Amino acid sequence: MSSLTGSRRRFLATCGAAGLGLAVPVMADPEAARASEDDLPAYGGPFYLVFNAAGGWDTTLLMDPKGSEGINRLYREGDILTQGSHTFAPTAAHKEGGLSNEDFYAEFGKELLTFNGLDYSVNNHSPCSRYMATGKLDSLAYPTFAALVAACQGPSCPLSFLTFGNYSATGNLVAMSRVPYLPSLQRIANADAIEGNLRAPYHDDFALEAIERAIQHRHDSRIAGPLLPRSAQAESMLYAAQTNSKALSRITPHVPKEIPKQRLAQQVEIALASFAAGVCVSANLSIGQFDSHANNDRDQMKLIPELLEGIAYALHRAEDLHLRDQLVVIMQSEMGRTPHYNKGDGKDHWSIGSAMFLGPGIHGDRVLGATDGEQFAHRLSPATLTTAPDDGIRIRPEHLHQALRQLAGIADHPFSLRFPLGISAGEELPTFWNPTSSAENSGS
């Protein structure tokens, strides 16, 4: 029997040696695990990229500019720029590499939805990261949006939820997959070849066909008899691990020959190749070091342009791979920076921040919410998202997550209902994605 499973063992061993986490779909019905390469269709979208500026970005140097000298030292009120409905900080003269705000908004402003004045409620990294990723502050059990949408829309995809860092809890709904390097992806995609080299297969085609027939026969024999639920699940997982490498081979044509140098671009290439192959639904991307307690302006002017360059890279490559019209992009951070500098020319943690979105179903060239001159959030009417100081509410991450669930059409999915966000009907945001939406058509 070892000769029948050798290639699969080598595949799994390769994953372990490379430090990879590989998704193994968990199917409640053992019969559902019988899918062959022909039976396992490619997932066609929508796809979700979540960009995390880990550490806390300075929103006044990007989408929520303030011209006060006490809040920033790079520009004045009269220097603030506009592009359509957007106002943003000028950074072309200050950035150290990467993409300036000017170029980013010129190209993507018409598609971009910005929300300012997001209330995180707390300002510590760990709870804030969890809160922004899941929409739930007081629980460790909730999945991130990226994991939830993967579980709802592509539970059988071999790499349904990819993560490259930051908070990545799954709620035990879907496997968390980590593929750190493009060469690792190449080896996974070609698991039946030595080191992923298609010219050096472990077996000839006739031998592989015999192996697959033997695996299928053994699986059929095992599930023919009665099995306890845990045994049935274990058999399902084993069979999925043995067969999913066939679906993963669809990644190969989409792996670039040259590895990009930028750290976000490398993450993007892995995610988009997996999207193009139909084996992945969502990816959690991340770059760190935004926690600029010292030398805020210098550090943020390295990192914000790098982040924008990575987002632009993703959108351009998605166009090349014909994925652009199915790609939802979420840009977020777990906190903002204080509206004043400390003694080390840095800025500390601030519990008010911003988020940006673009993609199908998102009406762009819009800025929602606002902060005042001291970076405190305005209260908003949930129905209209206009300022309502007397009877409005403070928009928190759970409001955005409820809106994201509605955008993805998963608000009423059993998995979403298992993890309620506690948003009453009166606090939902029916016009968040589209100003002409109504409460009746904003659901899934």
Side-chain angles (χ1 to χ4, degrees):
M1 186 60 68
S2 61
S3 63
L4 299 177
T5 59
S7 64
R8 303 301 180 206
R9 281 203 307 269
R10 293 187 185 95
F11 165 60
L12 296 174
T14 298
C15 294
L20 312 179
L22 182 64
V24 180
V26 178
M27 304 178 185
D29 180 3
E31 291 296 328
R34 300 181 61 174
S36 66
E37 182 181 17
D38 294 333
D39 296 327
L40 186 62
Y43 174 76
F47 305 100
Y48 301 85
L49 282 181
V50 182
F51 286 87
N52 294 282
W57 55 12
D58 186 344
T59 58
T60 69
L61 297 180
L62 182 52
M63 75 293 279
D64 191 15
K66 306 293 180 187
S68 166
E69 182 176 354
I71 292 182
N72 79 79
R73 298 169 178 171
L74 293 185
Y75 61 90
R76 297 292 180 265
E77 188 74 27
D79 300 325
I80 293 174
L81 299 173
T82 62
Q83 181 75 43
S85 298
H86 298 280
T87 60
F88 56 91
T91 60
H94 307 290
K95 70 182 182 69
E96 297 186 23
L99 188 67
S100 69
N101 291 350
E102 290 90 327
D103 289 339
F104 181 79
Y105 279 95
E107 183 170 3
F108 304 113
K110 290 183 179 180
E111 302 175 72
L112 191 66
L113 169 62
T114 295
F115 184 83
N116 291 322
L118 180 63
D119 181 9
Y120 303 106
S121 302
V122 294
N123 63 1
N124 291 325
H125 289 295
S126 181
C128 277
S129 296
R130 181 174 68 248
Y131 196 13
M132 193 60 201
T134 68
K136 191 69 171 175
L137 177 60
D138 58 354
S139 175
L140 299 176
Y142 274 56
T144 66
F145 170 74
L148 177 63
V149 75
C152 292
Q153 295 188 343
S156 63
C157 293
L159 299 175
S160 190
F161 168 47
L162 278 169
T163 183
F164 297 88
N166 217 55
Y167 191 80
S168 301
T170 66
N172 292 323
L173 298 179
V174 67
M176 179 197 305
S177 301
R178 294 182 182 272
V179 183
Y181 309 110
L182 274 166
S184 304
L185 184 66
Q186 183 74 24
R187 286 193 288 271
I188 288 176
N190 301 294
D192 288 318
I194 298 172
E195 294 298 315
N197 183 358
L198 290 174
R199 298 181 180 180
Y202 286 114
H203 303 285
D204 292 328
D205 289 344
F206 78 90
L208 282 174
E209 292 175 2
I211 290 171
E212 298 301 334
R213 287 195 300 272
I215 290 173
Q216 182 70 64
H217 176 73
R218 182 179 62 183
H219 175 67
D220 291 343
S221 299
R222 286 182 174 177
I223 66 172
L227 290 174
L228 294 172
R230 182 171 294 180
S231 298
Q233 185 183 63
E235 173 60 30
S236 168
M237 294 176 67
L238 173 63
Y239 185 71
Q242 292 170 329
T243 59
N244 271 342
S245 61
K246 296 174 65 177
L248 288 166
S249 67
R250 298 197 297 250
I251 294 174
T252 303
H254 309 295
V255 177
K257 294 181 180 179
E258 296 186 6
I259 300 175
K261 295 181 180 179
Q262 300 89 348
R263 51 179 173 167
L264 267 179
Q266 294 179 37
Q267 297 176 27
V268 164
E269 287 289 1
I270 293 169
L272 293 184
S274 302
F275 291 166
V279 298
C280 183
V281 175
S282 65
N284 193 40
L285 283 61
S286 181
I287 59 171
Q289 301 174 316
F290 278 85
D291 196 20
S292 49
H293 289 284
N295 300 308
N296 178 81
D297 296 349
R298 182 196 66 189
D299 290 351
Q300 295 283 333
M301 283 299 91
K302 290 179 181 178
L303 292 164
I304 289 176
E306 181 185 0
L307 174 69
L308 297 184
E309 182 181 43
I311 294 166
Y313 184 95
L315 294 169
H316 294 155
R317 284 291 290 140
E319 190 77 41
D320 295 340
L321 295 169
H322 307 290
L323 300 173
R324 186 74 155 76
D325 61 352
Q326 288 290 311
L327 186 65
V328 175
V329 176
I330 301 164
M331 296 152 271
Q332 63 187 36
S333 185
E334 75 266 28
M335 64 179 69
R337 313 307 303 180
T338 50
H340 55 268
Y341 291 83
N342 59 31
K343 294 181 179 179
D345 293 328
K347 291 187 177 183
D348 301 316
H349 299 175
W350 190 244
S351 62
I352 305 296
S354 302
M356 301 191 295
F357 312 86
L358 62 81
I362 300 173
H363 190 87
D365 194 21
R366 297 166 68 217
V367 179
L368 304 176
T371 59
D372 62 20
E374 298 298 321
Q375 276 186 261
F376 288 97
H378 287 300
R379 291 180 176 271
L380 304 179
S381 161
T384 64
L385 292 173
T386 55
T387 302
D390 295 328
D391 57 356
I393 66 171
R394 300 175 72 87
I395 304 300
R396 302 181 302 275
E398 58 261 39
H399 295 98
L400 297 192
H401 275 263
Q402 184 68 20
L404 282 168
R405 292 181 182 190
Q406 291 170 341
L407 175 70
I410 62 170
D412 296 322
H413 191 283
F415 288 161
S416 296
L417 298 178
R418 190 186 301 179
F419 297 98
L421 295 170
I423 300 296
S424 66
E427 286 198 357
E428 291 188 354
L429 312 178
T431 60
F432 193 86
W433 306 115
N434 189 328
T436 62
S437 296
S438 66
E440 287 74 25
N441 64 24
S442 66
S444 57

